[in-house]
Amino acid sequence: FPVTIRTGCPMQKSKDIEPNAIKLSSIHSSKGLEHKHAVLYGTGMLPHPMATLDWEKQQESNLEYVGLTRGKQTLTLIPEYE
């Protein structure tokens, strides 16, 4: 079956989105949204090593939580490979 991949664009109307499209977006842009299925690539990257202050580490942890809670039915975690 044909698959459409599109990047997250806040200006795009939901009526313009194909129902079988794969949406690529950052964790930041997915705040407040839920999807039937979610794939999180690069698990183990948060908190970012450059986050050294306590408040930065807390923000990174909150961002990780956002990413982990986007899938309504399934969440697939893919680790980062070196």
Short mmCIF file of all heavy atoms in Angstrom, two decimals, residues 26-52:
data_model
loop_
_atom_site.label_atom_id
_atom_site.label_comp_id
_atom_site.label_asym_id
_atom_site.label_seq_id
_atom_site.Cartn_x
_atom_site.Cartn_y
_atom_site.Cartn_z
N SER A 26 9.09 16.40 15.93
CA SER A 26 9.97 16.41 17.10
C SER A 26 9.12 16.20 18.35
O SER A 26 7.90 16.35 18.33
CB SER A 26 10.71 17.75 17.19
OG SER A 26 9.80 18.78 17.50
N ILE A 27 9.79 15.86 19.43
CA ILE A 27 9.06 15.72 20.69
C ILE A 27 8.46 17.06 21.09
O ILE A 27 7.34 17.12 21.57
CB ILE A 27 9.99 15.17 21.80
CG1 ILE A 27 10.46 13.76 21.46
CG2 ILE A 27 9.27 15.16 23.15
CD1 ILE A 27 11.48 13.18 22.43
N HIS A 28 9.21 18.14 20.86
CA HIS A 28 8.69 19.47 21.21
C HIS A 28 7.37 19.76 20.52
O HIS A 28 6.45 20.28 21.14
CB HIS A 28 9.72 20.55 20.82
CG HIS A 28 10.90 20.61 21.71
ND1 HIS A 28 12.03 19.87 21.48
CD2 HIS A 28 11.14 21.31 22.84
CE1 HIS A 28 12.91 20.12 22.43
NE2 HIS A 28 12.39 20.99 23.27
N SER A 29 7.28 19.44 19.23
CA SER A 29 6.05 19.78 18.50
C SER A 29 4.92 18.80 18.78
O SER A 29 3.78 19.05 18.39
CB SER A 29 6.33 19.83 16.99
OG SER A 29 6.66 18.55 16.50
N SER A 30 5.20 17.70 19.48
CA SER A 30 4.14 16.73 19.76
C SER A 30 3.48 16.97 21.12
O SER A 30 2.56 16.25 21.49
CB SER A 30 4.70 15.30 19.71
OG SER A 30 5.58 15.07 20.79
N LYS A 31 3.92 17.99 21.84
CA LYS A 31 3.30 18.29 23.14
C LYS A 31 1.81 18.53 22.95
O LYS A 31 1.39 19.27 22.07
CB LYS A 31 3.94 19.52 23.77
CG LYS A 31 5.33 19.30 24.28
CD LYS A 31 5.88 20.57 24.91
CE LYS A 31 7.29 20.35 25.40
NZ LYS A 31 7.85 21.58 25.96
N GLY A 32 1.00 17.89 23.77
CA GLY A 32 -0.44 18.06 23.72
C GLY A 32 -1.14 17.22 22.67
O GLY A 32 -2.36 17.27 22.57
N LEU A 33 -0.40 16.46 21.87
CA LEU A 33 -1.00 15.64 20.83
C LEU A 33 -0.89 14.16 21.20
O LEU A 33 0.02 13.76 21.92
CB LEU A 33 -0.28 15.85 19.50
CG LEU A 33 -0.24 17.27 18.95
CD1 LEU A 33 0.61 17.32 17.70
CD2 LEU A 33 -1.66 17.77 18.68
N GLU A 34 -1.82 13.38 20.73
CA GLU A 34 -1.76 11.93 20.88
C GLU A 34 -1.97 11.30 19.52
O GLU A 34 -2.67 11.84 18.68
CB GLU A 34 -2.83 11.42 21.84
CG GLU A 34 -2.53 11.69 23.29
CD GLU A 34 -3.54 11.02 24.21
OE1 GLU A 34 -4.72 10.91 23.82
OE2 GLU A 34 -3.14 10.61 25.30
N HIS A 35 -1.34 10.17 19.31
CA HIS A 35 -1.46 9.45 18.05
C HIS A 35 -1.78 8.00 18.37
O HIS A 35 -1.47 7.50 19.44
CB HIS A 35 -0.16 9.54 17.25
CG HIS A 35 0.28 10.96 17.02
ND1 HIS A 35 -0.31 11.76 16.09
CD2 HIS A 35 1.22 11.71 17.63
CE1 HIS A 35 0.26 12.95 16.11
NE2 HIS A 35 1.19 12.95 17.04
N LYS A 36 -2.41 7.33 17.43
CA LYS A 36 -2.76 5.93 17.63
C LYS A 36 -1.50 5.10 17.90
O LYS A 36 -1.46 4.28 18.81
CB LYS A 36 -3.49 5.40 16.39
CG LYS A 36 -4.11 4.05 16.56
CD LYS A 36 -4.95 3.71 15.32
CE LYS A 36 -5.62 2.38 15.47
NZ LYS A 36 -6.43 2.04 14.29
N HIS A 37 -0.46 5.34 17.11
CA HIS A 37 0.81 4.64 17.26
C HIS A 37 1.93 5.68 17.28
O HIS A 37 1.87 6.66 16.55
CB HIS A 37 1.05 3.66 16.11
CG HIS A 37 -0.08 2.70 15.91
ND1 HIS A 37 -0.31 1.64 16.75
CD2 HIS A 37 -1.07 2.67 14.98
CE1 HIS A 37 -1.38 0.98 16.34
NE2 HIS A 37 -1.86 1.60 15.27
N ALA A 38 2.93 5.45 18.10
CA ALA A 38 4.07 6.36 18.16
C ALA A 38 5.36 5.56 18.15
O ALA A 38 5.43 4.47 18.71
CB ALA A 38 4.00 7.23 19.41
N VAL A 39 6.35 6.10 17.47
CA VAL A 39 7.69 5.50 17.44
C VAL A 39 8.66 6.57 17.94
O VAL A 39 8.67 7.70 17.44
CB VAL A 39 8.08 5.07 16.01
CG1 VAL A 39 9.49 4.52 15.99
CG2 VAL A 39 7.09 4.05 15.47
N LEU A 40 9.43 6.21 18.94
CA LEU A 40 10.40 7.15 19.51
C LEU A 40 11.79 6.63 19.20
O LEU A 40 12.20 5.58 19.68
CB LEU A 40 10.17 7.27 21.01
CG LEU A 40 10.93 8.34 21.76
CD1 LEU A 40 10.62 9.72 21.20
CD2 LEU A 40 10.58 8.31 23.23
N TYR A 41 12.50 7.37 18.35
CA TYR A 41 13.85 6.98 17.94
C TYR A 41 14.88 7.69 18.81
O TYR A 41 14.72 8.86 19.13
CB TYR A 41 14.09 7.34 16.47
CG TYR A 41 15.52 7.07 16.04
CD1 TYR A 41 15.93 5.78 15.74
CD2 TYR A 41 16.44 8.09 15.99
CE1 TYR A 41 17.24 5.53 15.38
CE2 TYR A 41 17.75 7.85 15.63
CZ TYR A 41 18.15 6.55 15.33
OH TYR A 41 19.44 6.30 14.98
N GLY A 42 15.92 6.98 19.16
CA GLY A 42 17.00 7.58 19.93
C GLY A 42 16.76 7.51 21.42
O GLY A 42 17.18 8.40 22.17
N THR A 43 16.06 6.47 21.88
CA THR A 43 15.83 6.34 23.31
C THR A 43 17.17 6.19 24.01
O THR A 43 18.11 5.63 23.49
CB THR A 43 14.92 5.15 23.63
OG1 THR A 43 15.52 3.96 23.10
CG2 THR A 43 13.55 5.34 23.05
N GLY A 44 17.26 6.74 25.19
CA GLY A 44 18.52 6.74 25.92
C GLY A 44 19.31 8.02 25.70
O GLY A 44 20.37 8.20 26.27
N MET A 45 18.77 8.92 24.87
CA MET A 45 19.47 10.18 24.58
C MET A 45 19.06 11.29 25.55
O MET A 45 19.67 12.35 25.57
CB MET A 45 19.18 10.64 23.15
CG MET A 45 19.76 9.72 22.11
SD MET A 45 19.30 10.15 20.41
CE MET A 45 19.79 11.87 20.30
N LEU A 46 18.03 11.07 26.33
CA LEU A 46 17.56 12.09 27.28
C LEU A 46 17.81 11.61 28.70
O LEU A 46 17.58 10.44 28.99
CB LEU A 46 16.07 12.36 27.07
CG LEU A 46 15.70 13.00 25.74
CD1 LEU A 46 14.19 13.09 25.60
CD2 LEU A 46 16.31 14.38 25.59
N PRO A 47 18.25 12.42 29.60
CA PRO A 47 18.58 13.82 29.37
C PRO A 47 19.84 13.98 28.53
O PRO A 47 20.74 13.15 28.58
CB PRO A 47 18.78 14.40 30.77
CG PRO A 47 19.14 13.25 31.63
CD PRO A 47 18.48 12.04 31.00
N HIS A 48 19.86 15.04 27.78
CA HIS A 48 20.99 15.32 26.90
C HIS A 48 22.25 15.54 27.76
O HIS A 48 22.18 16.17 28.81
CB HIS A 48 20.70 16.57 26.06
CG HIS A 48 21.65 16.74 24.93
ND1 HIS A 48 22.87 17.35 25.10
CD2 HIS A 48 21.58 16.38 23.63
CE1 HIS A 48 23.51 17.36 23.94
NE2 HIS A 48 22.75 16.78 23.04
N PRO A 49 23.39 15.02 27.31
CA PRO A 49 24.62 15.17 28.10
C PRO A 49 25.02 16.62 28.38
O PRO A 49 25.70 16.89 29.36
CB PRO A 49 25.69 14.49 27.23
CG PRO A 49 24.96 13.62 26.29
CD PRO A 49 23.60 14.21 26.12
N MET A 50 24.58 17.56 27.55
CA MET A 50 24.93 18.96 27.78
C MET A 50 24.04 19.61 28.83
O MET A 50 24.31 20.73 29.25
CB MET A 50 24.88 19.74 26.47
CG MET A 50 25.99 19.31 25.51
SD MET A 50 26.15 20.36 24.07
CE MET A 50 26.76 21.85 24.81
N ALA A 51 23.00 18.92 29.26
CA ALA A 51 22.15 19.43 30.34
C ALA A 51 22.86 19.14 31.66
O ALA A 51 22.87 18.02 32.13
CB ALA A 51 20.78 18.78 30.29
N THR A 52 23.47 20.15 32.22
CA THR A 52 24.27 19.95 33.43
C THR A 52 23.62 20.53 34.68
O THR A 52 23.85 20.03 35.77
CB THR A 52 25.67 20.57 33.26
OG1 THR A 52 25.54 21.95 32.93
CG2 THR A 52 26.45 19.85 32.15
#
